[in-house]
Amino acid sequence: GDSVTQMEGPVTLSEEAFLTINCTYTATGYPSLFWYVQYPGEGLQLLLKATKADDKGSNKGFEATYRKETTSFHLEKGSVQVSDSAVYFCALERTNAGKSTFGDGTTLTVKP
Amino acid sequence: IAGITQAPTSQILAAGRRMTLRCTQDMRHNAMYWYRQDLGLGLRLIHYSNTAGTTGKGEVPDGYSVSRANTDDFPLTLASAVPSQTSVYFCASSPGQGSPYGYTFGSGTRLTVV
């Protein structure tokens, strides 16, 4: 079945540091890939997405590239801020799956 | 603002009581979902509905039921609450099965069963 594996957290960085959160997936065909962010006490929000190989999703300074050859969708940001502290979820959805598959989430804490 | 409304925001419930968590969306999305989120366990799908009039079981459906009488509403019912159902519950929606647009989530209902 489909699965998403995220880098284990928690991740703690200093402000302005470079961020990478690894995400790899297992799925047949060509799923769409997503990153969601959950701020404390809130629901998940869609951060970015990519729907085909080599697509790059970007939003709020975050980027992720759909790598079919390595089945990966790593999240990156060049310079994190304290306000980026949140839980980040990687997810996939196949065309006929009926529902998304989520990773377990990675908690990011950014210290001033 | 278009989105999902969940109610109540939080609730303390006595074990054995019946409870319905409400979820309403105004985006005319076909698909809707209920998840529970527990520390260390990520998101777990309880039930889903790909279109009005149909529902399906997720990975943790026991003790919960849903209905989808129309496009906008997707209530989740706990027939007889137990302490293990203490969790944060999120409702979500998407334009349709296999949508490349991702999910829209509500703000959640924090439920404590005592």
Side-chain angles (χ1 to χ4, degrees), chain A residues 32 34 36 38 41-46 49 51 89 93-100 102-104, chain B residues 33 35 37 41-43 45 48 50 57-58 90 94 96-103 105-107:
Chain A
S32 295
F34 308 91
Y36 292 85
Q38 183 180 31
E42 298 183 10
L44 280 71
Q45 303 173 28
L46 181 63
K49 64 181 175 74
T51 58
F89 291 88
E93 179 144 350
R94 284 189 294 111
T95 301
N96 296 316
K99 48 194 180 297
S100 287
F102 286 84
D104 290 338
Chain B
Y33 313 86
Y35 287 88
Q37 185 177 35
L41 295 176
L43 289 169
L45 182 65
Y48 64 96
N50 285 325
K57 293 182 179 180
F90 290 101
S94 73
Q97 180 181 353
S99 167
Y101 301 104
Y103 288 8
F105 282 82
S107 299

Side-chain angles (χ1 to χ4, degrees), chain B residues 7-22 63-64 76-87 89 109-114:
Chain B
T9 303
S10 65
Q11 181 77 44
I12 298 174
L13 186 68
R17 297 296 296 269
R18 180 184 179 90
M19 172 82 187
T20 295
L21 308 185
R22 299 186 298 279
Y64 305 95
L76 175 73
T77 297
L78 289 66
S80 179
V82 295
S84 62
Q85 292 177 311
T86 294
S87 187
Y89 292 85
T109 294
R110 183 174 296 275
L111 181 66
T112 303
V113 182
V114 298

